[in-house]
Every structure is written in structure tokens, then in C-alpha cells.
Amino acid sequence: MTAAELPVLPTKPGCYLFHAPGGEVIYVGKAVNLRSRVRSYFSATAAQKAQLIRNRAERLEFIVTKSEVEALILEANLIKRFKPHYNVLLKDDKSYPFLKLTREAYPMLLFTRRVLKDGATYFGPYPNPGAVRKVQELVGAIFPLRQNSGVPLQKRKKPCLRFHMGRCLAPCIDNVSEEAYAKVVRQVRAFLEGDVAGTAEQLESEMRAAAARQDFELARLYRDRLQALQRLTGYDSDVTRASEDDLDFLGVAQAGNFAMVQLFQMRRGRVVGRDKRFLTNAEGASPAEILERFMADYYGQAMQVPPLVLVPQEIDLDVWSAFLSERAGKRVELRVPQRGDKVELMGMAERNAHTGLEAELALLERRGEAPGVKELQALVGLESAPYRIEGFDISNLMGTHTVASIVVFEGGRARKSEYRKMRITGLTRPDDFYAMHQAVYRRFTGALADKLPVPDLLLIDGGKGQLSAARRALKDAGLELPLLGLAKKQETIIREGAPEILVPETHPALRLLINIRDEAHRTAVGFNRKQRGAAMTRSVLDDIPGIGPARRDALLARFSSIDELKSAGVDELARIPGMGRVAAEAVVAFFSAFDNERASVLKAPEVRAAETGGAEAG
């Protein structure tokens, strides 16, 4: 699509939708000024993502709104409806769970995913159903709300077991007045809004008042509830709170096509809740765009919005403040903290976002859904996603026993049945470049070339020198394949004729490359150790024709040294169990030839020259 094909755009706020051939919505955006924002996609300095969108788009549709806040809400709904390819998406884009305090004389606390305009009070959203169940259990352990008498309340002849346990006031048998039950409901409401301290203070006040009236049974009930509250929430009335702030603070982490946003809820100076969301389609998106996608989804459903929200990135603060104020019914400030204790809160949120993202990526890898392949294609500019990647590494000890390893990954997963190891020949000193050339050349010209399919990408453990050696080997083998190197210093991705790439270690593409490199290194080092171990345990007897491991062990058990063995005759050797006369003669002949060769080497050069007719005279 070109700028000339754009419709006449107004200068008003609204949303715009890019459509691909066939009508698919590939991107939804919002704008304060539709004309200015859309035309920025067609400028010479447009970002790479904007260029991809305009190149794929066939037509543009726009919707004018009354205000920027209305555009923000509309954008969130359109993204949820169409799930456009180039928009950041919530990976687990499901409705949030809530707790619902029903609207009736004797309210009940319920789990729900639907927020209705039915006069009930909703609390949430919560991050997952498990969190809701835990809060329900906590409320049930502290406050005697009814649980088993239906909505609306159904009368019973006998109360349930919770009444006999002191955990229900049993309105189903008219055991409690509406006023007394309403007092418990107010405590539940305050608790769910985060006022743990206020709830504890009210319970303690009622306990003391009941004790003063000498209503010790009621005082005991209040005491038990207060103790349950302290035990289950960790609240301690003797600890002075350093801050009375009510606020939310958010952290963002991004790795290639994936991102994580974590939100923490602080009420009365205590962190009382957390939500986190794993997002996809984040490649090329700014942290601000990722943050806005999460906020639109979360605060679009949130029932309680605090007066202050801390964000780590500059976004359109005025628009978002207006949106949140509209949701809360009061003034809400949006702020990027610059100093003080609130910067520490942001650091906490950022650290948790990075940790959460790493955990999600590791989970994908364990499930066989390794996310690095497509991200690697985009990161290094490959024509297609590299399904089969082969990793090469060289290992030696002071230049001895040089070996190479070849590991295979398909679809981001190790294919161990196709791993290969080889000894490097022709080396008298350490030379990783020579070894890498030989390993790559033999992989694509020998028997392995027929047994293994051609990979989509080669990963070389090392820098530009190893990469050049691998390229020469491919050229000698008559092949042209994509090559990458991975240098351990700062985990730098090395490309041929292009700048080096440095990305965070959480980036899925780099995680995949590190995994392949480490697997190749582990395999090469293990093979090198095995070769060195075999060399250390090798005996001179292994070189004698006809002497296998069994006969070798029998000879070593009979004689205490090689000199003693060499002095033994054929008859003596033949009497050893398992030897026989032919094997005994082979042993005697081997040592006789060995001694003759050694004596020749020890002779002076002029003597050897005379014996060989001057062949060694030079």
C-alpha cells in the first residue's frame, strides 16, 4: 500500500485498521490525530515494523471517536476482537476472574468471570482462578459469611456444619439480624479492598467492647477472627507502616517476540496483590506499546483503581490518566518515578517481570515449543526460519587429542540421535581454525554427507576466525549455507560481512543459540576426555597382532613388568591360559622387532648411513 492509496483522513482522534488482501485485519492503532499518525507509516524514516505493515496492507479503515480516551477503549476492544498479526497480544487472552459480593439482604461471595450491571460489588481482576480460590478460603476462615444457602438466600430447617464451627452466622435459619450481618459484610468489603489494618483494628475494637460488656463468648469469636487474620495475612499491629500509599506499580520485560508485564497492588503501604501477563507479537514493539496493551486489558476490567499508578516508561500520561480517572470515578495520577522509594518499587517490578519472562520461556522450551526459531530468523535476517540447525565445536588439551562435535537441533529441540563426534587428524600443534575447517569439510564430503540431511543453518562456536574457516570448508565442499558464530565474550552473535549482534540473554533467539553452543561444547569436551582416558590406559601390548583385551590382561597378570615379559620364551608364554603357541610366537616376534628398531634409532647417524648405503647421509 502507498500513501497515494490512503483515504482522506480527518485530524480528529480515532482508531485505524490496516487490512491485508482478503480483508484480514493485520494491525489496529489509535491516534490523537488520525491523519498525522497514519501518514507517519509512509515516511522515509518509518520504523521497520511500520514498513512491514504498510507493505503487506491493501487498504486502510478508520473510525473517528469523540476523545482520545474513547479511542483507547475502542482500540483495546478491536485488538481483542480481531487479534491482528502485528499487534502485541496477550498469550493467555482470557477473561479475568473476579469475586462478586451479591446485592441482597444477606450477601454471599462468589467466583465469576462476568461483570454485570446487577448492583453487586465486584473485586478484581485476579490473575488466575487459583488466586480467587485462595482469597475465598481466606475470607471464609476469617469472616462468617454464608456459603451454602444459594442465591438468592434459601431458607433451611437446620444450619450447615459451618455454623456449628463458628464460621457462619446462619441467616438461612434467621439466626442473625440484617444489621449484624451487614457489619460483617463491611469488614469483608474493607478487607477485599486491601484495608487489612482497618479490618484488624475494627475486629480488635469489637473484641474489647464485647469483653467490656462481659459478653465473653462474642469476645472470643472476635479474638479468633483477629488471630486468623493475623496468621493468614502476616499482619502485625505493632509494626508501624512506613507508607500509607494506595498505588499500583508495573514492570516490563521483553525478549524478541515475547514480553511480560507484572503489576503489583499496594494498599495502605502493603503489597496485597500481583498480576502478570505473558504477551506475544512483541517483536519490534516498544516497551510503551507493550505496557499500553496490558493496561488496556487490565484496567478495562478493574473494579478498583488506586489514585496513583507508577509506570516504567513514558506513555501518553494525560490520556491514560483521563481513562483511569473515568474508570475510578475520581482523579488518578499516572507517573514515571525518578527518585526515592518509588524508584525502588519500580526496580522490584522490573526484576519480577524479567524473572517471570525467563520462567515462561523455559516452560515453552520444556513443552517442545521452543520460541527461538522464528525470532532467530528475524534477528539475523534469514530468508526462512532455520528448522534444522547444526552446531560445531572443537576441543583439545594442550593441542593433543583434538576432537570435534556436531549437534543437531530441529524445531528448537535437540535431536540427539543425529549427534556426531570425530577425531581431528594431521595436527601437531593447537590450531582451532584448521580443526574447524576439517570438521565442517568432512561433515559435508564424507559418509556423513549421505547419512545426514543438509541443515538450514550452521552455528560455529567461536569468533570470526572460526567462522571464516567454516566458510572455506563449505566452499571446498561446494556448498553455500548460512553461518553464524557465537563468541562467549558477552554472548555476541557473529555474522559474515555484517555488524555483530548484542541482545539481552533473555532474547529467545540468543537463548536458542546458547543452548546449541553449550550442547556442542558439552559433547566435544566429553569426547575429548574419553579419548585422553583411553590413551592413558592403553598398553604397548594392544599393538601386538592377535593379542586382544583378554590375552593382554592375562599377560599383565602373569608378568610384573615389560622387561620380564620380553625375557620369557615361547614355551613359557604358550603355557599361560588363553594364549596358545601362535599368540606366544607373535609376542616374541613383536618385541624382537621392537628392540631391533629401537637399536637402529639409537645408532649414530653416520653408522646408520653406512648400513643403508648412504641413504641418510643428508
Side-chain angles (χ1 to χ4, degrees):
M1 186 175 185
T2 64
E5 298 174 295
L6 288 173
V8 178
L9 293 162
T11 57
K12 295 181 178 180
C15 290
Y16 54 93
L17 299 83
F18 280 101
H19 291 260
E24 177 193 0
V25 177
I26 59 173
Y27 187 77
V28 173
K30 67 178 184 303
V32 178
N33 182 321
L34 281 168
R35 181 183 301 171
S36 174
R37 181 71 184 96
V38 171
R39 287 192 175 277
S40 70
Y41 284 77
F42 297 86
S43 70
T45 58
Q48 182 181 9
K49 183 174 180 178
Q51 296 177 35
L52 290 172
I53 293 171
R54 80 186 185 201
N55 291 340
R56 187 178 170 192
E58 182 183 57
R59 65 184 179 89
L60 180 101
E61 176 187 2
F62 64 91
I63 303 171
V64 177
T65 59
K66 294 179 181 178
S67 66
E68 301 163 38
V69 173
E70 188 177 323
L72 190 156
I73 297 171
L74 178 60
E75 179 197 38
N77 291 332
L78 291 173
I79 290 173
K80 185 170 288 189
R81 176 184 172 187
F82 292 112
K83 295 181 173 55
H85 177 74
Y86 289 105
N87 280 99
V88 178
L89 301 174
L90 295 169
K91 192 173 192 303
D92 47 353
D93 192 10
K94 301 175 183 177
S95 58
Y96 281 93
F98 293 83
L99 282 174
K100 174 181 178 179
L101 194 61
T102 58
R103 185 187 181 186
E104 49 187 322
Y106 298 98
M108 189 173 176
L109 194 64
L110 303 173
F111 172 97
T112 183
R113 288 189 181 273
R114 298 179 62 197
V115 177
L116 306 174
K117 294 182 179 180
D118 55 0
T121 304
Y122 292 85
F123 300 92
Y126 292 93
N128 54 65
V132 176
R133 303 300 184 196
K134 288 181 181 179
V135 174
Q136 276 187 301
E137 291 174 7
L138 183 61
V139 171
I142 300 171
F143 306 103
L145 281 184
R146 67 184 185 90
Q147 290 188 11
N148 303 314
S149 46
V151 179
L153 175 68
Q154 303 295 314
K155 294 296 183 177
R156 295 187 175 198
K157 294 182 179 179
K158 295 181 180 180
C160 64
L161 180 61
R162 286 180 54 80
F163 169 75
H164 298 290
M165 296 171 62
R167 290 193 172 187
C168 181
L169 297 176
C172 59
I173 59 169
D174 297 322
N175 186 64
V176 61
S177 66
E178 288 188 23
E179 293 76 16
Y181 194 88
K183 185 182 293 185
V184 175
V185 171
R186 285 194 295 271
Q187 293 173 349
V188 171
R189 192 189 304 272
F191 174 76
L192 291 175
E193 290 175 350
D195 189 7
V196 178
T199 304
E201 290 166 2
Q202 185 176 355
L203 288 172
E204 186 173 0
S205 174
E206 291 177 349
M207 177 186 70
R208 295 185 185 280
R213 297 193 306 269
Q214 295 188 353
D215 190 346
F216 298 115
E217 184 174 352
L218 181 60
R220 179 177 61 81
L221 286 174
Y222 284 129
R223 182 203 65 191
D224 291 345
R225 293 176 196 169
L226 178 60
Q227 290 177 347
L229 176 68
Q230 293 170 336
R231 182 176 65 254
L232 294 173
T233 65
Y235 173 77
D236 187 348
S237 60
D238 295 330
V239 177
T240 302
R241 295 186 299 277
S243 171
E244 293 293 329
D245 289 333
D246 280 6
L247 57 90
D248 288 348
F249 55 99
L250 296 90
V252 180
Q254 184 178 2
N257 200 42
F258 299 91
M260 169 74 71
V261 178
Q262 293 215 15
L263 176 146
F264 289 84
Q265 299 167 326
M266 178 177 282
R267 303 293 182 265
R268 276 81 172 176
R270 296 167 59 88
V271 175
V272 299
R274 180 185 73 166
D275 191 11
K276 61 179 181 179
R277 284 289 160 129
F278 188 37
L279 301 100
T280 62
N281 287 9
E283 186 74 46
S286 66
E289 183 180 349
I290 296 167
L291 187 64
E292 287 185 335
R293 179 68 187 95
F294 170 85
M295 291 175 64
D297 186 75
Y298 179 84
Y299 288 114
Q301 303 180 61
M303 295 295 103
Q304 293 86 33
V305 181
L308 176 61
V309 176
L310 304 179
V311 293
Q313 300 287 332
E314 283 286 354
I315 57 178
D316 197 333
L317 299 181
D318 292 337
V319 173
W320 277 99
S321 179
F323 169 71
L324 295 176
S325 298
E326 184 178 295
R327 292 289 302 163
K330 58 186 177 182
R331 169 66 180 167
V332 176
E333 180 187 1
L334 211 68
R335 188 193 308 169
V336 181
Q338 303 296 331
R339 62 182 65 86
D341 58 349
K342 290 181 174 55
V343 172
E344 296 179 8
L345 293 179
M346 298 306 303
M348 168 186 167
E350 292 283 317
R351 288 192 298 274
N352 278 273
H354 282 285
T355 303
L357 180 57
E358 290 176 359
E360 289 288 349
L361 294 177
L363 182 61
L364 287 178
E365 291 173 359
R366 285 200 299 271
R367 289 174 176 171
E369 303 172 20
V373 177
K374 291 185 178 179
E375 288 71 27
L376 180 60
Q377 176 192 358
L379 182 65
V380 301
L382 297 173
E383 292 183 2
S384 59
Y387 176 72
R388 182 185 175 94
I389 304 174
E390 293 187 5
F392 287 72
D393 190 24
I394 304 297
S395 180
N396 65 74
L397 180 67
M398 304 297 289
T400 63
H401 305 99
T402 303
V403 299
S405 68
I406 306 171
V407 299
V408 178
F409 276 61
E410 291 187 346
R413 302 182 67 185
R415 190 174 176 84
K416 294 190 176 183
S417 62
E418 296 196 2
Y419 284 15
R420 294 295 186 270
K421 296 167 283 191
M422 64 176 69
R423 300 184 187 91
I424 301 300
T425 60
L427 273 180
T428 58
R429 57 184 176 81
D431 191 338
D432 282 353
F433 302 155
Y434 174 90
M436 184 61 71
H437 180 282
Q438 183 180 135
V440 175
Y441 182 76
R442 287 169 56 186
R443 157 65 180 93
F444 293 105
T445 57
L448 291 180
D450 298 327
K451 294 179 180 178
L452 300 178
V454 176
D456 301 309
L457 174 69
L458 298 189
L459 176 65
I460 307 300
D461 183 12
K464 293 183 178 179
Q466 285 87 349
L467 207 62
S468 297
R471 174 57 69 195
R472 289 195 306 273
L474 286 174
K475 185 176 181 180
D476 293 343
L479 285 175
E480 185 70 30
L481 295 174
L483 281 175
L484 286 180
L486 187 60
K488 290 185 176 68
K489 184 179 180 181
Q490 296 184 322
E491 302 294 7
T492 307
I493 300 174
I494 311 296
R495 297 182 294 174
E496 298 177 285
E500 299 176 353
I501 298 176
L502 274 173
V503 292
E505 287 197 24
T506 55
H507 195 292
L510 182 57
R511 286 172 62 90
L512 174 62
L513 294 180
I514 290 175
N515 193 13
I516 297 172
R517 189 272 314 279
D518 289 350
E519 186 72 353
H521 183 70
R522 180 192 64 79
T523 304
V525 169
F527 188 46
N528 178 265
R529 287 174 178 166
K530 184 177 179 180
Q531 294 299 305
R532 285 186 280 124
M536 292 175 65
T537 58
R538 182 175 175 81
S539 167
V540 68
L541 302 180
D542 292 324
D543 294 328
I544 304 175
I547 301 300
R551 286 173 173 169
R552 178 198 62 197
D553 294 343
L555 291 172
L556 292 175
R558 172 65 178 79
F559 300 101
S560 59
S561 68
I562 293 295
D563 288 338
E564 184 181 349
L565 172 59
K566 287 162 56 177
S567 64
V570 173
D571 293 337
E572 182 180 358
L573 292 171
R575 287 196 293 271
I576 296 174
M579 280 293 293
R581 191 165 190 84
V582 174
E585 290 174 347
V587 171
V588 172
F590 174 82
F591 282 113
S592 176
F594 180 84
D595 288 341
N596 291 337
E597 181 180 354
R598 185 180 179 202
S600 174
V601 171
L602 292 176
K603 288 179 181 179
E606 59 271 17
V607 176
R608 292 202 304 273
E611 291 179 351
T612 58
E616 298 186 20

